[in-house]
Amino acid sequence: MIENVVFDLGGVLMHFDALGFSRMFTESEEDAQALNAALFSSLEWAYLDAGAISEEAALLIAQSKLPDRLGPAAEKALAEWDLKRTPIQETNDLACRLHEAGYGVYVLSNAGVRFPRIMSRIPCRKAVDGWMASAFEHLVKPDPAIYTRFCERFWLDLAACAFTDDNKDNIVGATAAGMHAHLFVGADELESWLKGQGLSF
């Protein structure tokens, strides 16, 4: 029986638009594309999520790929991008309703060390019983080990957890670990799936 619902953050509770962020810190589409490629869509960004590189190192590498005039934009983007994120309100509302109905509500995200600041800004934060970000664990989804560690951290039964993510690979990893898992395509569809699994809220 499912007792807990575990949400991904980016694309599920909060929007993540890498090119959109890049446009906020540049003045032309060409510069936005360059900044996105050097920072948000780079291999170093994945390293940040894994806790394998510092923000300072990621910035230096990004700036080395860009013309000098975009160096300040890269610095500002890395320092402030998370403040530009907007919530997916429908999913936040769903999380709050689940919490009110007595279900555990958790967040498991591939994210860097800025994650606590992001969590402080999500609308459903008071409904969240616990969270885990990959950078602090040096593990990333879809490795089944991160789902197992997550449940061990919060004393949860893997089989009693429903996990939702907008990345298919992460769904595969959660299923391999022993969770119920569902590919997120929208709050309404997720609600229907959860109720189909026997949840009442």
Side-chain angles (χ1 to χ4, degrees), residues 95-115:
C96 290
R97 287 193 286 119
L98 286 163
H99 176 76
E100 290 168 2
Y103 295 100
V105 174
Y106 296 86
V107 178
L108 173 59
S109 180
N110 280 353
V113 296
R114 291 292 177 87
F115 192 77

Side-chain angles (χ1 to χ4, degrees), residues 108 132 137 139-159 161 173-179:
L108 173 59
M132 179 179 283
E137 307 301 320
L139 280 172
V140 294
K141 298 178 293 185
D143 187 341
I146 194 170
Y147 306 95
T148 300
R149 181 177 296 181
F150 173 85
C151 286
E152 290 173 347
R153 177 74 48 81
F154 296 108
W155 298 87
L156 305 177
D157 180 356
L158 280 158
C161 293
T175 302
M179 285 181 162

Side-chain angles (χ1 to χ4, degrees), residues 11-48:
V12 177
L13 289 169
M14 298 284 281
H15 292 287
F16 185 89
D17 179 3
L19 184 55
F21 296 145
S22 298
R23 289 178 177 134
M24 294 177 186
F25 297 100
T26 53
E27 296 181 356
S28 73
E29 185 64 18
E30 181 180 1
D31 286 351
Q33 293 281 353
L35 178 58
N36 180 47
L39 184 60
F40 298 113
S41 297
S42 69
L43 184 60
E44 289 73 39
W45 194 259
Y47 289 159
L48 285 172

Side-chain angles (χ1 to χ4, degrees), residues 77-191:
L78 184 57
E80 300 179 10
W81 70 273
D82 59 300
L83 301 177
K84 307 295 185 181
R85 300 187 73 167
T86 57
I88 301 175
Q89 192 61 51
E90 297 82 2
T91 321
N92 280 268
D93 292 343
L94 174 59
C96 290
R97 287 193 286 119
L98 286 163
H99 176 76
E100 290 168 2
Y103 295 100
V105 174
Y106 296 86
V107 178
L108 173 59
S109 180
N110 280 353
V113 296
R114 291 292 177 87
F115 192 77
R117 188 164 84 173
I118 299 170
M119 277 297 303
S120 73
R121 300 180 64 247
I122 66 170
C124 70
R125 60 190 175 278
K126 292 183 179 179
V128 174
D129 297 294
W131 59 263
M132 179 179 283
S134 57
F136 299 106
E137 307 301 320
H138 301 285
L139 280 172
V140 294
K141 298 178 293 185
D143 187 341
I146 194 170
Y147 306 95
T148 300
R149 181 177 296 181
F150 173 85
C151 286
E152 290 173 347
R153 177 74 48 81
F154 296 108
W155 298 87
L156 305 177
D157 180 356
L158 280 158
C161 293
F163 173 73
T164 187
D165 196 301
D166 61 331
N167 183 300
K168 290 182 180 180
D169 291 342
N170 296 342
I171 295 302
V172 173
T175 302
M179 285 181 162
H180 302 268
H182 182 71
L183 182 66
F184 182 83
V185 295
D188 289 343
E189 199 270 347
L190 174 60
E191 179 173 347

